[in-house]
Amino acid sequence: MTATVSAPATAPPRRGSRPVPPPRTVTPSRRVERELAEGGLVVAGMDEVGRGCLAGPVSVGVVVSCLDRRAPSGLRDSKLLPPPRREALVAPIRRWAVACAVGHASPAEIDAIGIIAALRLAGHRALAALPLPPHVVLLDGNHDWLTPPDDLFSGFAAAPEPVLAVVPRVRTRIKADMTCTGVAAASILAKVERDGLMRAEHARDPRFDWAENKGYASPSHIAALAQHGPSALHRRSWSLPGVAGAEAGSGEAAAHATGMPAVPRVPRTQDSPSDGMMVS
C-alpha cells in the first residue's frame, strides 16, 4: 500500500508548485499471468491469510483464472476491501475462475510442524482440491513456502494428508495480491472462508470474540487470553501475550465449548516465529 505524506497544515504552498493528486488504488492486471501462461501453461494465483494470527487456522487460496474473460469488477487485495465487498466478490470469482480452492492447516498442525510447513500443507491441500493441476503457481511475497526443501520434507509426516507428488513451478512476486488478478482473487477466497470459520468458532465459544478479531491480537483478545488462558484454537507453541506461566490452566480453556483436546506445547522449530514476533 502506498503511503501519502502530507505537508503540515501551517506550511504555505511553494510558489509555482503543482498540487499532488491523491494516490489511486492499484487495479490488479493479468499481465504477469499472461506472460507465465505463454506456451499454453496453466497458471494459478495463490495467497495465504491468517499467518500472523494468535489463533485459528492458516488458510491458502488458489485460483486458476480465465485469461480470456474479463475479471470481476472490483478485484483487490482482500486487506483493502471491507467485509461486505469481499463476500460479494466470492460468487463472481468462482464463476470467472477455471478452478479455485481453499486449503487450511489447523492450530494443532501449526504447533506440530511450524508455521512455514503449515502454510505449505495448506497450499498443497488447496492444490490437491483443484480438478486440474497448474503448471505454474504465482505466489505473493518473496519467499517460496510452497516447495518443500529436502531437509523439511519429513515434517509432513505428522500431517493427515500426503504431500503432493509433484509440486508446480513457483514464481514469487512482491505485492502480487495487489497487482495480479488471480492472486487477488485467491486472497479474497481465503479471507472470506477463514473469516467464516472463525465466526462459527465464535458461536461455539464467544469468550475470545473471534467474530470480531478473527484470531488476531486485538486488545480484547489479549485480555481474554489473560483471563481464560489459551483455548483449543490458539497456537500454543507460540509465545502468546498475557499467558506466560498460565499453561497449567489451559486445559480447561481448551475443553470449553468446543470439546477439542488440548494441544501439547512443543519445542519451537526453525519454522516457528521467535518470541513476541508477529508474522505478517
Side-chain angles (χ1 to χ4, degrees):
M1 183 180 297
T2 303
T4 303
V5 180
S6 302
T10 57
R14 291 181 298 174
R15 180 174 298 179
S17 62
R18 299 176 63 183
V20 178
R24 294 181 297 174
T25 302
V26 176
T27 300
S29 76
R30 286 175 281 184
R31 180 183 61 82
V32 175
E33 290 155 300
R34 290 187 191 280
E35 292 174 358
L36 294 174
E38 288 182 2
L41 298 181
V42 176
V43 179
M46 178 174 282
D47 199 13
E48 55 81 15
V49 297
R51 180 175 180 174
C53 290
L54 302 179
V58 65
S59 305
V60 174
V62 60
V63 169
V64 180
S65 56
C66 181
L67 299 178
D68 298 325
R69 294 170 54 196
R70 185 173 180 176
S73 177
L75 271 186
R76 297 290 186 276
D77 170 21
S78 63
K79 296 185 293 294
L80 302 179
L81 296 171
R85 184 58 186 150
R86 285 196 300 258
E87 293 165 6
L89 278 167
V90 169
I93 289 171
R94 293 190 178 279
R95 289 194 299 267
W96 167 68
V98 176
C100 58
V102 179
H104 309 277
S106 70
E109 289 167 333
I110 294 171
D111 285 333
I113 62 178
I115 186 62
I116 300 300
L119 277 170
R120 194 175 301 125
L121 178 60
H124 284 204
R125 285 173 173 164
L127 288 170
L130 296 178
L132 72 164
H135 299 104
V136 184
V137 170
L138 180 57
L139 192 63
D140 180 50
N142 60 1
H143 174 222
D144 176 9
W145 42 258
L146 186 66
T147 306
D150 292 338
D151 59 340
L152 293 180
F153 193 83
S154 60
F156 283 100
E161 297 180 14
V163 181
L164 292 174
V166 178
V167 179
R169 179 165 60 93
V170 172
R171 165 81 176 269
T172 60
R173 182 177 176 85
I174 295 174
K175 300 298 183 183
D177 52 357
M178 295 179 63
T179 58
C180 302
T181 54
V183 182
S187 75
I188 291 170
L189 293 186
K191 176 64 174 170
V192 170
E193 187 161 321
R194 187 184 184 278
D195 283 359
L197 293 174
M198 296 305 289
R199 285 194 296 269
E201 292 294 342
H202 177 88
R204 285 189 280 270
D205 183 0
R207 296 174 302 156
F208 297 93
D209 198 18
W210 305 130
E212 180 64 26
N213 61 57
K214 309 302 190 297
Y216 287 93
S218 68
S220 62
H221 183 182
I222 295 173
L225 267 171
Q227 179 179 358
H228 304 292
S231 72
L233 281 183
H234 283 97
R235 301 168 185 181
R236 296 169 66 191
S237 60
W238 293 28
S239 295
L240 298 172
V243 295
E247 288 294 318
S250 62
E252 290 80 6
H256 183 86
T258 65
M260 296 175 64
V263 179
R265 187 176 180 87
V266 297
R268 179 172 289 108
T269 68
Q270 60 180 311
D271 281 341
S272 303
S274 59
D275 289 357
M277 183 178 78
M278 291 300 297
V279 184
S280 62

